[in-house]
Amino acid sequence: MNRTMASLAGLNEGLRVKHIAAFPLLTCCTTDDLDQVLSRPDLDGIDQIPITDGGRIVALWEHSREWKRRPLDDSILVSADAPLWHFIHTVHEQPYRLVVEQTRITGIVTWSDLLKVPVLVLAFSLMAELELAMNRRILEQYADDTWLDLLDKDERQKIRGRRRKLERENLTLPMIELADLWHKAKLLRGPLGAGRDFEAELGKVVKLRNDVDHVKDIVRSDADLKGFVEHLETAEAWLHIVKGPEAVAASTGS
């Protein structure tokens, strides 16, 4: 895990590729012709089919626009115990990998596995850590909720309205916790936007937060899954910026 995710190291340590991979591996024999393989009901809808020779995997049938036979090589292998976060970062290089346990290939992990619970737990934890870091940074810079004065009138009224509603229910929360993610991003625009496309990245981070909150709305196409990974990486970059000393310098002008 890189330094950006240091605060989530414990979670990443526990989440491995094997927690989202598919087991057991469905295979065909090198003596089977392709039509015979594709007629098997258990292989219906599967786009990567390992080919065995004498019990050993030697190649794959791989489907994109058409079926092609691909020789086995190390670029499509991953250890079952590899950190899940590393796989997420490299999935764009290879949209599936065969999973190796000890000395045997026993499973497969693909784009679609990114919507399994362990990845969503990691995404949720990343977003929670990002918002907590944003809260801390804002409170370090602005005393007594003076950050509210930097927001538009309607935005201030929205947040204060939430406070009044809680007070009527005999509840209370720090004002910063009643602000939306985009409110907090607006207050930290200096460091977050330095040399970056702030509006585009804000859209990605908000989209990730919404996807995590409403999993059923994530579309399962390759394009949407690639976007999901890109949004994760943007949120990770923001976390590093907000937690880094450069955030203080950028916000204070020093």
Side-chain angles (χ1 to χ4, degrees):
M1 170 170 285
N2 60 35
R3 58 178 179 159
T4 325
M5 293 287 290
S7 59
L8 301 177
L11 180 62
N12 185 68
E13 183 66 23
L15 295 177
R16 303 288 173 164
V17 167
K18 63 186 175 185
H19 295 131
I20 66 169
F23 302 97
L25 194 60
L26 298 175
T27 65
C28 64
C29 296
T30 190
T31 54
D32 298 337
D33 62 45
L34 182 57
D35 289 338
Q36 180 181 2
V37 172
L38 298 182
S39 68
R40 285 173 46 183
D42 61 330
L43 297 177
D44 184 43
I46 295 178
D47 291 332
Q48 301 87 24
I49 305 172
I51 303 169
T52 63
D53 184 3
R56 296 175 57 250
I57 294 175
V58 295
L60 298 94
W61 286 114
E62 180 181 84
H63 182 256
S64 180
R65 292 186 177 85
E66 60 183 5
W67 284 96
K68 293 183 179 180
R69 182 179 170 119
R70 175 174 179 172
L72 184 67
D73 65 78
D74 58 5
S75 70
I76 56 174
L77 301 179
V78 65
S79 169
D81 290 319
L84 183 54
W85 192 256
H86 177 72
F87 172 74
I88 292 170
H89 274 300
T90 60
V91 69
H92 66 280
E93 300 170 2
Q94 171 61 39
Y96 72 89
R97 284 186 173 85
L98 298 179
V99 179
V100 180
E101 290 187 293
Q102 297 181 350
T103 60
R104 296 181 59 247
I105 297 173
T106 59
I108 189 169
V109 61
T110 71
W111 270 112
S112 60
D113 293 315
L114 294 179
L115 292 183
K116 290 184 176 177
V117 170
V119 177
L120 297 176
V121 168
L122 191 59
F124 179 87
S125 300
L126 172 61
M127 287 307 306
E129 180 68 14
L130 174 59
E131 288 214 52
L132 287 172
M134 295 171 86
N135 291 353
R136 288 192 294 268
R137 182 63 71 196
I138 291 168
L139 294 177
E140 288 170 1
Q141 296 171 18
Y142 305 101
D144 302 321
D145 295 328
T146 54
W147 54 268
L148 273 168
D149 296 332
L150 301 178
L151 300 178
D152 296 338
K153 179 180 178 181
D154 289 345
E155 296 168 345
R156 295 195 301 270
Q157 289 178 341
K158 182 178 183 180
I159 295 169
R160 286 175 173 143
R162 291 171 178 169
R163 167 65 72 85
R164 289 192 293 271
K165 181 179 179 181
L166 286 177
E167 289 174 343
R168 289 195 295 270
E169 299 171 355
N170 293 320
L171 300 172
T172 184
L173 282 175
M175 194 74 82
I176 190 62
E177 294 189 21
L178 302 178
D180 292 329
L181 174 63
W182 66 274
H183 290 141
K184 301 169 190 178
K186 183 176 181 179
L187 293 167
L188 295 171
R189 181 168 186 150
L192 292 176
R196 307 172 70 92
D197 187 337
F198 174 78
E199 295 295 340
E201 293 197 345
L202 174 59
K204 293 175 183 178
V205 174
V206 171
K207 178 68 164 58
L208 175 63
R209 221 279 292 275
N210 293 340
D211 283 347
V212 170
D213 287 345
H214 307 285
V215 176
K216 67 180 186 302
D217 294 333
I218 302 178
V219 181
R220 296 170 180 262
S221 69
D222 282 355
D224 286 297
L225 289 172
K226 289 176 182 178
F228 181 63
V229 172
E230 184 179 346
H231 302 162
L232 276 172
E233 292 176 338
T234 300
E236 183 189 18
W238 273 29
L239 177 59
H240 173 63
I241 292 169
V242 172
K243 297 189 77 171
E246 61 269 29
V248 176
S251 62
T252 61
S254 57

